[in-house]
Amino acid sequence: MSMTTGPDALRSHAARLRGTPLNALLAQDPERVRRHALRSGPLYFNFARQSYDAVAWDALLAQARSADLAGAFRRLFDGATVNVTEGRAALHTALRGQHSDAAIARAAFASATEVRQRMAALIAQLEGTGVTDIVSVGIGGSDLGPRLVADALRDPLPGRFRVHFLSNVDGAAAQRTLALLDPARTAAILISKTFGTQETLLNGGILRDWLGGSERLYAVSANPERAAAAFDIAAERVLPMWDWVGGRYSLWSAVGFPIALAIGFDRFEGLLAGASQFDAHVLDTPLADNIAVRHALTAVWNRNALGHAAQGVMTYDQRLALLPAYLQQLVMESLGKSVKLDGSPVDVDTVPVWWGGAGTDVQHSFFQALHQGTQIVPLDFVGTVRNDDPYAENHLALLSNLLAQSEALANGQASDDPHRSYAGGRPSTLILLDALTPQSLGGLIAMYEHSVYAQSVLWGINAFDQFGVELGKQLANGLLPALRGETEAKDPVTRALLAEIAARN
Ligand code: F6P
């Protein structure tokens, strides 16, 4: 990497810009707002309230070029082995469109299309059965994406199917979910890429027993034989996925079955079309105007040049309230890595803590810390221009709050009273959807997926494995016999806790 790019160059730009208020950057450059506004279909982004100036931005772009981000995207879409630690492709883009001539990508697209047709047929069949409620059982990537999209796009009154999500191994979750349902009018979908996930196997068993058998059980898995055998589910009700789809990138596959049930198959296809449209933007747009690239470079700037250890996403649309939870898995499971592709330690910090919530509620809880706390937390604000509810005044109030928060954080306000003064200089990206539709939501999620991938390339890490979650799972399995009193734990703290549990139980 040359002297003009790389972490040191970015840090020197950050040092040069320290003390330059965000509104001074705007005053220096009348074109700034326009140059930092980008659109793709129904999605508008404005990065003018990020703290890089034109020179720092050029250094960031140079980093994107030296990492060959354009080539990296091409390799992703062409089905190259981007998941090097597991030796496979990550072809989630082939689940929603055909953007590659590579044989592996074409085959993936064909398989995905075929399975989607099977899914449509299963939905049509279910419509005639008197089933009104569906329990979707899965966790992590087999839960968060479908849960977000189904919640965001469902009508205020449930349509033909009410879809409920059950993820946690805590039996209270199953008890509460089932308490309101009638087994005679309920079907369940067990979703697990591996079909080896403790939570889903236990909850699947609860559902099978509660339903009185497997007749109204469906499964989605990359291990369909295991799924069918474990729960005695007829092969026609088991939909496959593939090892080339990562769990957290899988909502476009049959993992989206609950989405299609909640919002209708046509609208599910609209979601895929919106994502595919954004895929085309990523492939066809030069790096400088590429939204996913700009989002990724902004993340690198905030993390590596400015050292910010957290990143927030605030949704000013109640229907997107689950977006932060979904993004936490997408971003933190993908980028929470300390070693590069070759196993050597990374040279810079990787993922910050991602968190967030829905405005305006968040303003009345933790926004105090964002305005006056000692740590700066860069934010993504996500809002929707068109209102779909009957309460127009509320929508204006919602939008006025979104605009005001970003402005207050950026510009601050001086006061003689230190308790009443706002330092400002707190960056945010503004994201506006023309309206919340399947297309715009598909595009938004695809944007985040591509930004995550671009960040992984810039950091030289693998966005598609998640070995970090394995140790805890192994230990939990090993502790089950100890909880039953059959064995002793090795760790002294765990031993003390087990004794406490045994004494109080
Ligand atoms: O524990 C993490 C994880 O492996 C995620 O990556 C995955 O989305 C989730 O568990 C569920 O896995 P599965 O779909 O195989 O049940």
Side-chain angles (χ1 to χ4, degrees):
M1 221 169 252
S2 82
M3 290 299 282
T4 51
T5 66
D8 290 343
L10 293 186
R11 275 191 287 268
S12 76
H13 285 294
R16 175 177 60 76
L17 289 165
R18 195 166 299 132
T20 308
L22 281 174
N23 46 14
L25 291 177
L26 286 158
Q28 276 166 20
D29 177 2
E31 287 294 290
R32 183 178 171 87
V33 178
R34 192 190 52 75
R35 275 192 298 101
H36 284 294
L38 298 173
R39 175 171 279 282
S40 170
L43 303 173
Y44 168 88
F45 289 75
N46 198 307
F47 296 87
R49 287 206 180 108
Q50 295 294 340
S51 63
Y52 34 71
D53 65 356
V55 185
W57 173 246
D58 283 345
L60 283 162
L61 262 183
Q63 199 153 319
R65 287 198 192 95
S66 107
D68 187 21
L69 273 190
F73 278 123
R74 191 65 266 168
R75 285 195 296 283
L76 176 78
F77 281 78
D78 285 348
T81 306
V82 289
N83 181 353
V84 293
T85 54
E86 296 176 300
R88 57 199 187 210
L91 271 169
H92 43 284
T93 50
L95 297 170
R96 56 208 189 201
Q98 207 165 10
H99 296 281
S100 168
D101 286 333
I104 180 174
R106 292 172 75 91
F109 177 75
S111 308
T113 308
E114 188 195 318
V115 171
R116 224 168 28 255
Q117 280 155 4
R118 282 188 56 200
M119 189 168 100
L122 288 179
I123 294 173
Q125 269 171 28
L126 255 172
E127 275 166 1
T129 58
V131 165
T132 52
D133 291 85
I134 310 286
V135 181
S136 176
V137 180
I139 197 161
S142 297
D143 170 63
L144 291 161
R147 196 190 279 256
L148 160 68
V149 177
D151 189 53
L153 297 177
R154 72 180 167 81
D155 290 329
L157 279 176
R160 280 178 294 239
F161 301 107
R162 283 186 293 261
V163 181
H164 314 265
F165 290 89
L166 177 58
S167 54
N168 202 321
V169 76
D170 186 342
Q175 186 184 30
R176 289 183 171 196
T177 305
L178 300 183
L180 296 172
L181 302 178
D182 171 2
R185 300 170 69 82
T186 302
I189 311 172
L190 314 185
I191 306 177
S192 175
K193 183 175 170 185
T194 55
F195 245 81
T197 304
Q198 182 191 50
E199 292 89 339
T200 304
L201 295 179
L202 279 169
N203 284 332
I206 292 176
L207 259 296
R208 182 196 43 211
D209 295 346
W210 181 80
L211 287 170
S214 304
E215 228 168 85
R216 264 171 289 116
L217 277 191
Y218 295 74
V220 180
S221 184
N223 199 338
E225 294 79 24
R226 190 172 183 179
F231 288 92
D232 189 25
I233 306 176
E236 66 268 19
R237 293 201 309 279
V238 182
L239 294 174
M241 58 186 290
W242 307 270
D243 68 356
W244 43 262
V245 186
R248 55 193 174 274
Y249 299 87
S250 68
L251 69 90
W252 326 98
S253 70
V255 170
F257 196 3
I259 301 175
L261 285 160
I263 70 171
F265 184 76
D266 291 353
R267 297 178 77 220
F268 179 66
E269 292 217 302
L271 182 85
L272 271 49
S276 178
Q277 191 181 358
F278 194 85
D279 290 339
H281 166 88
V282 164
L283 283 175
D284 300 343
T285 312
L287 293 180
D289 293 323
N290 192 308
I291 294 170
V293 170
R294 194 169 301 211
H295 191 271
L297 290 174
T298 301
V300 165
W301 171 256
N302 282 321
R303 186 74 186 110
N304 298 142
L306 302 175
H308 298 318
Q311 163 74 42
V313 57
M314 306 301 153
T315 59
Y316 278 68
D317 187 316
Q318 184 62 34
R319 298 167 294 178
L320 292 174
L322 299 180
L323 184 67
Y326 165 80
L327 288 178
Q328 278 180 326
Q329 189 204 11
L330 177 67
V331 183
M332 294 175 75
E333 202 170 74
S334 299
L335 300 176
K337 314 285 163 67
S338 315
V339 293
K340 293 196 261 189
L341 296 177
D342 63 5
S344 61
V346 290
D347 348 275
V348 289
D349 281 319
T350 60
V351 75
V353 172
W354 268 68
W355 60 294
T360 57
D361 294 65
V362 289
Q363 295 171 203
H364 302 273
S365 61
F366 53 73
F367 262 43
Q368 164 65 35
L370 299 185
H371 286 287
Q372 288 188 318
T374 53
Q375 295 293 312
I376 291 181
V377 182
L379 302 181
D380 281 2
F381 282 105
V382 184
T384 306
V385 176
R386 197 188 76 200
N387 185 33
D388 293 316
D389 63 56
Y391 309 111
E393 273 305 308
N394 287 53
H395 190 65
L396 293 184
L398 184 66
L399 285 177
S400 71
N401 275 282
L402 183 164
L403 299 173
Q405 290 300 324
S406 172
E407 196 177 306
L409 288 162
N411 300 342
Q413 184 173 282
S415 164
D416 293 339
D417 177 354
H419 298 286
R420 290 178 170 77
S421 112
Y422 304 81
R426 291 158 193 243
S428 58
T429 295
L430 290 146
I431 304 174
L432 293 177
L433 282 57
D434 289 351
L436 183 61
T437 62
Q439 286 77 8
S440 66
L441 183 56
L444 181 70
I445 296 172
M447 194 296 295
Y448 277 108
E449 287 180 346
H450 289 309
S451 172
V452 163
Y453 174 62
Q455 289 172 64
S456 78
V457 174
L458 291 162
W459 283 327
I461 59 179
N462 184 357
F464 302 108
D465 63 12
Q466 59 283 323
F467 295 112
V469 301
E470 293 306 323
L471 175 60
K473 289 187 199 174
Q474 276 167 28
L475 289 178
N477 280 332
L479 286 170
L480 274 174
L483 271 163
R484 294 194 185 103
E486 296 160 8
T487 56
E488 278 238 315
K490 289 200 196 94
D491 181 275
V493 178
T494 306
R495 242 192 345 261
L497 284 156
L498 282 167
E500 189 67 20
I501 292 167
R504 307 275 159 176
N505 228 346

